[in-house]
Amino acid sequence: KAGVTQTPRYLIKTRGQQVTLSCSPISGHRSVSWYQQTPGQGLQFLFEYFSETQRNKGNFPGRFSGRQFSNSRSEMNVSTLELGDSALYLCASSPTTGNEKLFFGSGTQLSVL
Amino acid sequence: GESVGLHLPTLSVQEGDNSIINCAYSNSASDYFIWYKQESGKGPQFIIDIRSNMDKRQGQRVTVLLNKTVKHLSLQIAATQPGDSAVYFCAQGEAGNMLTFGGGTRLMVKP
């Protein structure tokens, strides 16, 4: 089976712009979670989607949003980018909701200038 | 909020020695605990998990120990190899909720 695929691998944006990141889960996995990873804060949970519905949400501002499609693929969007949004954004999939045994992609490295 | 922390940010071991990575957690209601390994340029990779009703679980060259009395989790790696060099994260979770990750420990294996 192919693993979790995230695109793009790298992104450079400027403050105020918006960005959309994409994630394709492992075939058959219906749950997709997003995490932000920074050197200072570690891995921070953003949100989880299961069957196109957001099930859990972390403590991030409304500028961070996501969605899941019927084929389980997911996107996350960050609007009005700030310098502090620079991070590695990781997507993880699992067969069912509940987040046990997450399978992570390699992430999208976002740099905000 | 609940937190999961690590005692040592960096651990340096000699190739062939055993490694022990420690983790303290605060949420006594957690149902399970997971160790992840993250190599440079990659996402975290699942290593081993343990349910809260267990105190020990073994995998291939790895053992996880859970001490609920002192809320402590450890990962033991036997005969550490250069390929074990990575950042290791512990994570805790409750059924139906998202995982909470610790800050990570960097393991460096000296040849």
Side-chain angles (χ1 to χ4, degrees):
Chain A
K1 275 186 179 178
V4 177
T5 304
Q6 291 189 246
T7 57
R9 187 73 178 87
Y10 301 96
L11 264 179
I12 299 176
K13 293 285 187 179
T14 57
R15 281 180 299 174
Q17 288 187 308
Q18 67 92 26
V19 66
T20 299
L21 312 181
S22 180
C23 172
S24 292
I26 292 172
S27 178
H29 285 194
R30 297 170 61 194
S31 171
V32 173
S33 299
W34 289 89
Y35 285 80
Q36 181 195 66
Q37 186 175 30
T38 59
Q41 298 296 320
L43 278 154
Q44 301 284 315
F45 173 76
L46 281 157
F47 26 66
E48 182 212 358
Y49 286 87
F50 178 76
S51 295
E52 302 178 66
T53 301
Q54 188 180 88
R55 284 205 75 255
N56 286 300
K57 189 176 189 304
N59 295 322
F60 278 82
R63 300 185 296 108
F64 292 80
S65 62
R67 59 177 176 169
Q68 186 181 33
F69 302 95
S70 58
N71 61 358
S72 294
R73 192 177 69 84
S74 177
E75 290 180 346
M76 68 162 283
N77 184 277
V78 188
S79 62
T80 320
L81 284 166
E82 301 177 359
L83 296 179
D85 296 333
S86 294
L88 179 66
Y89 289 88
L90 291 161
C91 168
S93 75
S94 61
T96 63
T97 188
N99 282 291
E100 294 192 45
K101 292 187 181 180
L102 295 177
F103 296 85
F104 283 87
S106 294
T108 294
Q109 183 68 54
L110 172 65
S111 297
V112 182
L113 306 178
Chain B
E2 300 298 344
S3 65
V4 179
L6 293 166
H7 297 307
L8 299 173
T10 302
L11 177 64
S12 184
V13 300
Q14 203 70 40
E15 181 179 357
D17 288 351
N18 296 335
S19 302
I20 300 177
I21 301 172
N22 297 301
C23 176
Y25 64 92
S26 59
N27 184 5
S28 57
S30 293
D31 298 309
Y32 57 92
F33 303 84
I34 304 177
W35 282 100
Y36 282 90
K37 171 187 180 183
Q38 186 173 24
E39 297 175 276
S40 180
K42 299 182 180 179
Q45 177 186 8
F46 174 91
I47 301 174
I48 191 169
D49 62 349
I50 188 169
R51 312 295 302 186
S52 60
N53 61 354
M54 303 169 67
D55 54 21
K56 181 179 180 179
R57 191 172 186 205
Q58 288 183 293
Q60 187 176 11
R61 281 201 307 119
V62 295
T63 301
V64 56
L65 299 177
L66 175 62
N67 186 332
K68 293 182 288 295
T69 302
V70 295
K71 297 181 185 176
H72 184 267
L73 188 72
S74 68
L75 176 70
Q76 300 178 2
I77 304 174
T80 312
Q81 303 168 359
D84 295 326
S85 294
V87 176
Y88 290 80
F89 294 93
C90 63
Q92 62 179 132
E94 293 179 68
N97 291 317
M98 67 286 190
L99 284 175
T100 300
F101 283 83
T105 291
R106 182 175 300 281
L107 176 64
M108 299 175 62
V109 182
K110 297 177 289 185

